[in-house]
Amino acid sequence: MPTQRASYPWANTLQRGWRTLRVGYWLGWQIESNWTDPLLFFIYSIARPLGGVLILVFMYHVVARAGGTAMLGFFVVGAACWPFVVRGMMGTAYSLITDREHWKTLRYVYISPISLRAYLVGRALAQATSAVAAAAVTLIFGRWVLGVPMHLATINAPYTAAAFALGIASVIALGLLVVSAAVLISSEAWRMPEGVGAALYLVCGAIFPVTVLPPILQALSAAIPLTWWLEAMRRGLLGPAVVRSLPHLADGQVLVGLGLLTVLWVTAALAVFTLAERRARQLGILDRETMY
Amino acid sequence: MSNLAIATQDLVRTYRTRKSAGNPSGAPVVALDGVTLDIPPGEFFGLLGPNGAGKTTFIKVLVTLLLPTSGSARVAGFDVVGQAQQVRERISMVSGGEHSGYGLLTVREQLWMFSQFYGMPTQTALARIDELLRVVGLYEERNRRVSALSSGMRQKMNMVRGLLPDPEILFLDEPTVGLDVEAARDVRAYIKEWIHATPGRTILLTTHYMHEAEELCDRVAIIHKGRIVACDTPAALRRRTAGGTYFVLTTEPLDGTAWVSQVPGVQRADARASDGRTELRLQLADDGVIAGVVKALADRERRIFSLQKIEPSLEDVFVQIVGRRLEEADEGGRA
């Protein structure tokens, strides 16, 4: 009874993965952008990051004035990049949780001939796309209103682009790790992504250099690609005029370190997700609705 | 390779549980207890049982949502554990009694999205979506958001989702639960239409509505406490029932009924008097014997008011096998 399919299974797998990623992205964007009317969505997209950056500016003026414009630049780039972490990483986890608990579609998505990983990556990329506006607004505000020393002449575009791509990959890897836990836990699944996000905010140098952390947290921080990503983005956008989280490393070393950690985390995330998915099938909890 | 659409062998599925008032030992719950079943391609197969009997667990294993604890299951010839992707390319599922769907999407968008999961070209998918929406009477709602649909409409939309990829094997898990009578009838009518329009497709339907199983299925298995306790065509199952087919004949009052048993072919005759009439319940060797009974009554100048042939229902079969009516078994399962 089994019918013969393609001669090249890997080509089928790639095609299926790409198709699934596109549809996942489309769905993610529809959900992200259709919850309200376009005008309100636009205002929200601008107002939210502006609010975030203004809070940081207050913090800067009240607490960290001693750091000068180098510290201000640190703040602004961190604030511009962090929405990618929040939306991308948490978005991956929430995609699965909302499909399971709110939309109740996870079982139908799961039993269709797709790659669930590609689907979740697509959903995460849609969420990350929605962070682009926030990042742009923050950077523009930082450059033109706060006077952060960021000039076209000093921006290392290829370096920044490479760092950005690796950063997004590592954000999604973190998302897959969080989703691996979310698929196995039930009632606390909603809280977990936010908790992980808060912990990363603390240890990855989002708003202050990791050099101020205790040594054990510094070691932990160095093992997380987000620390390297934020560092590389600051170096790419601001050049030498910025406080550094990894002061003993050259720009190239930071990028290579980010690349290696990203590969490591992506590989680990894929393996962990595969195990978690299988475990959830064993336990019979893959589509179990719990609390929504 | 097997030529069966679905084949399971000694399929067992247990769930770990925590200690509770209902399960003080915390012993694993056995949802499927050695289910062996063969379903050939093209069959409309029904799985009948009360809540908690193992119907949904059985479907979840077959659609690759759940791993079996032991035993094997093959769908379209592929192993549900080791060849899940191949299984998924050939199946679809519709469950009843739920409100699944991305509420922010329109009906058409939601269905298009699922068509893309199955690799359908967009133009083909949209044409098929419109065609199926027309058939189930949902075409006018195609641009409405899913969140604005009634339960019945959502169920019809989900039926379209299930049929959209034209699966080799369709799993229907209580598809009419929670629907009003009219919507349930529409869904059943469409299922019948689909199976006639696409011969060779296999459907596995779980239900605890006896009439649904009788109306739709070529073969029915009765599942109780995770075990298949009977499996045959509805007619063959009915024939197995003690008592089988009988006739009920209402006539003018009779002085005695011993003579009825003397009519050749009458195996058993019970009489009951009510409202100035006599009701005879007759078990006959075959249907033709009734002519002899009617003639005997005519010879005694007794008028006949009504004559009914009563066939046992699947409900009777269920009661005989399980020892309780389905509704009672449901309550037992929930308790």
Side-chain angles (χ1 to χ4, degrees):
Chain A
M1 183 146 188
T3 46
Q4 208 61 33
R5 296 272 157 154
S7 325
Y8 303 106
W10 56 269
N12 255 354
T13 306
L14 275 181
Q15 198 179 20
R16 183 171 60 236
W18 173 239
R19 186 180 75 220
T20 311
L21 190 141
R22 278 188 299 131
V23 180
Y25 183 89
W26 175 85
L27 174 63
W29 184 249
Q30 293 298 317
I31 291 172
E32 185 62 22
S33 60
N34 272 353
W35 57 271
T36 184
D37 64 72
L39 179 64
L40 196 58
F41 176 66
F42 178 75
I43 293 170
Y44 175 81
S45 301
I46 301 295
R48 188 174 160 168
L50 266 185
V53 83
L54 284 173
I55 290 169
L56 288 177
V57 167
F58 271 110
M59 285 169 61
Y60 162 71
H61 279 293
V62 173
V63 180
R65 201 174 190 95
T69 53
M71 194 61 210
L72 183 62
F74 190 98
F75 268 10
V76 167
V77 174
C81 290
W82 199 251
F84 290 105
V85 179
V86 174
R87 303 278 179 91
M89 186 199 73
M90 294 191 198
T92 315
Y94 284 133
S95 298
L96 183 129
I97 297 169
T98 53
D99 275 13
R100 183 177 72 192
E101 309 274 344
H102 181 54
W103 308 118
K104 304 182 194 305
T105 48
L106 184 62
R107 70 182 59 167
Y108 304 112
V109 171
Y110 187 78
I111 66 161
S112 58
I114 63 164
S115 155
L116 187 61
R117 289 163 204 75
Y119 170 76
L120 291 172
V121 169
R123 294 283 299 269
L125 285 175
Q127 298 266 343
T129 302
S130 70
V132 169
V137 166
T138 305
L139 290 176
I140 290 167
F141 188 81
R143 167 68 184 88
W144 301 108
V145 179
L146 302 177
V148 170
M150 187 168 45
H151 306 283
L152 282 180
T154 59
I155 293 174
N156 184 343
Y159 183 93
T160 308
F164 182 76
L166 289 168
I168 293 297
S170 61
V171 162
I172 291 171
L174 281 164
L176 279 179
L177 286 170
V178 175
V179 97
S180 302
V183 86
L184 292 174
I185 61 174
S186 47
S187 55
E188 301 306 315
W190 286 99
R191 296 187 183 92
M192 193 191 52
E194 203 173 336
V196 173
L200 291 173
Y201 192 66
L202 177 71
V203 299
C204 290
I207 52 165
F208 53 81
V210 296
T211 47
V212 304
L213 292 170
I216 191 163
L217 285 183
Q218 282 192 48
L220 175 67
S221 172
I224 301 171
L226 295 184
T227 308
W228 298 69
W229 176 51
L230 292 171
E231 178 73 359
M233 290 299 289
R234 288 186 179 110
R235 293 183 188 213
L237 289 170
L238 301 172
V242 65
V243 173
R244 294 187 166 180
S245 271
L246 303 166
H248 52 289
L249 296 177
D251 293 354
Q253 288 174 311
V254 171
L255 197 59
V256 169
L258 170 61
L260 290 175
L261 274 177
T262 301
V263 169
L264 190 70
W265 278 69
V266 166
T267 308
L270 290 173
V272 169
F273 184 77
T274 302
L275 291 174
E277 182 194 335
R278 186 175 173 83
R279 183 72 182 141
R281 272 180 81 195
Q282 266 173 355
L283 296 173
I285 57 174
L286 195 71
D287 64 330
R288 188 175 65 187
E289 293 156 20
T290 54
M291 59 174 290
Y292 195 83
Chain B
M1 277 292 179
S2 150
N3 284 323
L4 295 165
I6 296 168
T8 66
Q9 186 70 43
D10 296 325
L11 197 65
V12 173
R13 173 67 213 195
T14 57
Y15 289 101
R16 288 192 314 185
T17 55
R18 290 179 181 164
K19 287 183 183 178
S20 65
N23 183 12
S25 65
V29 172
V30 181
L32 294 176
D33 190 4
V35 174
T36 297
L37 210 54
D38 288 342
I39 302 175
E43 186 165 73
F44 199 135
F45 191 90
L47 197 57
L48 190 63
N51 288 329
K55 304 186 299 291
T56 298
T57 299
F58 187 60
I59 279 202
K60 280 188 167 186
V61 170
L62 296 177
V63 300
T64 76
L65 267 171
L66 187 64
L67 291 176
T69 306
S70 66
S72 68
R74 299 185 84 81
V75 172
F78 295 100
D79 178 43
V80 296
V81 178
Q83 296 171 298
Q85 193 64 32
Q86 287 91 329
V87 171
R88 289 171 191 156
E89 285 171 6
R90 290 159 177 84
I91 62 162
S92 188
M93 176 175 75
V94 177
S95 300
E98 59 171 37
H99 294 89
S100 67
Y102 295 101
L104 288 164
L105 301 182
T106 66
V107 171
R108 212 163 178 249
E109 285 171 339
Q110 155 113 346
L111 294 170
W112 171 83
M113 190 197 81
F114 274 98
S115 76
Q116 298 311 290
F117 286 163
Y118 290 84
M120 295 175 75
T122 289
Q123 289 310 313
T124 310
L126 291 177
R128 185 159 166 75
I129 288 165
D130 287 350
E131 177 198 330
L132 289 171
L133 287 176
R134 280 195 182 92
V135 170
V136 300
L138 216 55
Y139 184 71
E140 297 304 317
E141 316 298 330
R142 66 192 183 283
N143 292 321
R144 268 178 88 177
R145 280 193 172 185
V146 172
S147 56
L149 299 182
S150 67
S151 301
M153 286 175 176
R154 259 193 206 212
Q155 189 59 2
K156 286 179 182 177
M157 180 193 72
N158 281 326
M159 187 59 74
V160 172
R161 176 189 49 68
L163 297 173
L164 193 54
D166 201 15
E168 282 177 33
I169 301 163
L170 177 63
F171 294 91
L172 299 173
D173 188 13
E174 313 239 16
T176 56
V177 162
L179 295 185
D180 60 46
V181 175
E182 195 181 345
R185 197 176 52 209
D186 286 351
V187 167
R188 279 197 298 274
Y190 187 65
I191 294 168
K192 280 198 279 192
E193 202 175 312
W194 183 74
I195 199 83
H196 286 129
T198 54
R201 301 294 192 236
T202 308
I203 295 184
L204 173 57
L205 166 82
T206 71
T207 182
H208 63 265
Y209 296 140
M210 301 284 181
H211 64 93
E212 197 164 89
E214 290 204 82
E215 181 185 340
L216 295 172
C217 299
D218 301 321
R219 267 198 314 154
V220 171
I222 294 175
I223 187 169
H224 184 55
K225 294 182 176 172
R227 288 176 168 273
I228 302 290
V229 290
C231 179
D232 216 324
T233 62
L237 284 173
R238 283 194 300 264
R239 277 198 298 274
R240 276 195 218 174
T241 314
T245 303
Y246 60 92
F247 286 84
V248 175
L249 195 151
T250 313
T251 178
E252 284 180 313
L254 299 171
D255 297 333
T257 57
W259 59 271
V260 181
S261 301
Q262 311 294 317
V263 177
V266 173
Q267 295 173 330
R268 183 175 169 169
D270 298 311
R272 191 164 65 103
S274 71
D275 295 336
R277 296 175 177 187
T278 297
E279 186 183 285
L280 286 171
R281 184 183 158 129
L282 305 165
Q283 215 168 318
L284 309 176
D286 64 68
D287 289 358
V289 174
I290 194 68
V293 178
V294 171
K295 184 173 180 305
L297 282 167
D299 291 346
R300 285 169 174 74
E301 296 181 341
R302 289 287 177 264
R303 278 197 303 161
I304 295 171
F305 298 116
S306 69
L307 174 60
Q308 257 186 307
K309 182 181 175 185
I310 309 286
E311 299 216 52
S313 65
L314 281 182
E315 180 80 39
D316 300 318
V317 179
F318 188 87
V319 170
Q320 186 175 326
I321 292 171
V322 175
R324 282 186 290 180
R325 294 175 63 80
L326 186 59
E327 294 78 14
E328 293 163 354
D330 270 348
E331 282 159 17
R334 279 194 289 268

